Amino acid sequence: MDLQEKELMNTICKYCINKYQILNNAPILSSFIYQLGKKLDLDIPSIRGVLNVEVNGYKRLFAHCFNVYNGQIVDTSIYQYALINKSIKHLFPLYIVEITPSHIEYSINSEVKYECQFKFKDEYLSKALNEIRTFNNIDLKRFSISDDCKKENIIY
């Protein structure tokens, strides 16, 4: 992933986290990112897999949906596990682009085919891309479930 692509992926993730609820929306957010990528002529497939997180020498497994771009992880919704697992919230970053922390591993089970994804209207995707292009580099910080609930639901 070159620097320009990495910056675009970071901006998309920050936009999603800043604007949309992430709790329990991993499959929808990964579909959203896949479809945004299609409009940009980028292949960012939505993946169904398992998130392995090492906690005190043991691995905890979480079923999870995320994206992959050029063999690199793009995960906009990993922070949902920090919201629901408060005792280990420090183990989850806000999002992941390219480099995963050493205590986190991803296992890929299968691609979520387009036919099985939630479909976004072209107008909605175009509007989001315009917002992403003008999205200022906002410094995100950790937030709570109540903060997340105040955000826009991606399905409207």
Side-chain angles (χ1 to χ4, degrees):
M1 183 180 313
D2 68 27
L3 189 58
Q4 186 177 9
E5 292 169 332
K6 185 175 181 179
E7 185 58 37
L8 175 62
M9 297 302 149
N10 278 313
T11 303
I12 289 172
C13 287
K14 287 179 179 181
Y15 172 82
C16 289
I17 291 168
N18 188 59
K19 182 167 181 147
Y20 302 117
Q21 291 178 7
I22 62 164
L23 191 61
N24 299 320
N25 281 330
I28 296 169
L29 285 169
S30 67
S31 294
F32 181 66
I33 290 172
Y34 168 78
Q35 291 169 43
L36 286 175
K38 284 292 190 194
K39 289 193 67 66
L40 295 168
D41 292 324
L42 299 173
D43 188 23
I44 315 170
S46 176
I47 303 295
R48 187 176 298 116
V50 176
L51 182 66
N52 300 290
V53 180
E54 186 176 324
V55 181
N56 298 326
Y58 297 98
K59 290 203 177 196
R60 292 186 63 180
L61 307 176
F62 303 93
H64 191 49
C65 286
F66 52 94
N67 298 84
V68 173
Y69 179 68
N70 286 343
Q72 302 294 320
I73 301 296
V74 176
D75 189 352
T76 265
S77 57
I78 189 170
Y79 193 68
Q80 71 177 324
Y81 298 109
L83 297 176
I84 58 177
N85 294 284
K86 292 182 182 186
S87 64
I88 57 171
K89 68 182 179 184
H90 61 283
L91 296 176
F92 298 98
L94 286 168
Y95 64 94
I96 292 178
V97 172
E98 192 176 38
I99 299 171
T100 59
S102 61
H103 61 281
I104 295 175
E105 294 176 2
Y106 286 84
S107 299
I108 295 173
N109 289 345
S110 63
E111 179 181 352
V112 180
K113 299 294 183 189
Y114 178 73
E115 299 79 33
C116 300
Q117 294 180 16
F118 180 85
K119 311 294 187 298
F120 294 93
K121 291 182 180 179
D122 190 56
E123 300 83 31
Y124 188 76
L125 293 169
S126 295
K127 179 183 172 212
L129 282 175
N130 286 335
E131 290 176 0
I132 288 168
R133 286 185 182 112
T134 61
F135 191 69
N136 292 330
N137 194 8
I138 292 178
D139 194 27
L140 296 175
K141 59 181 180 168
R142 293 186 171 265
F143 51 91
S144 66
I145 289 177
S146 63
D147 294 332
D148 192 49
C149 290
K150 295 174 187 172
K151 297 177 188 173
E152 185 177 318
N153 194 338
I154 194 161
I155 302 175
Y156 66 98

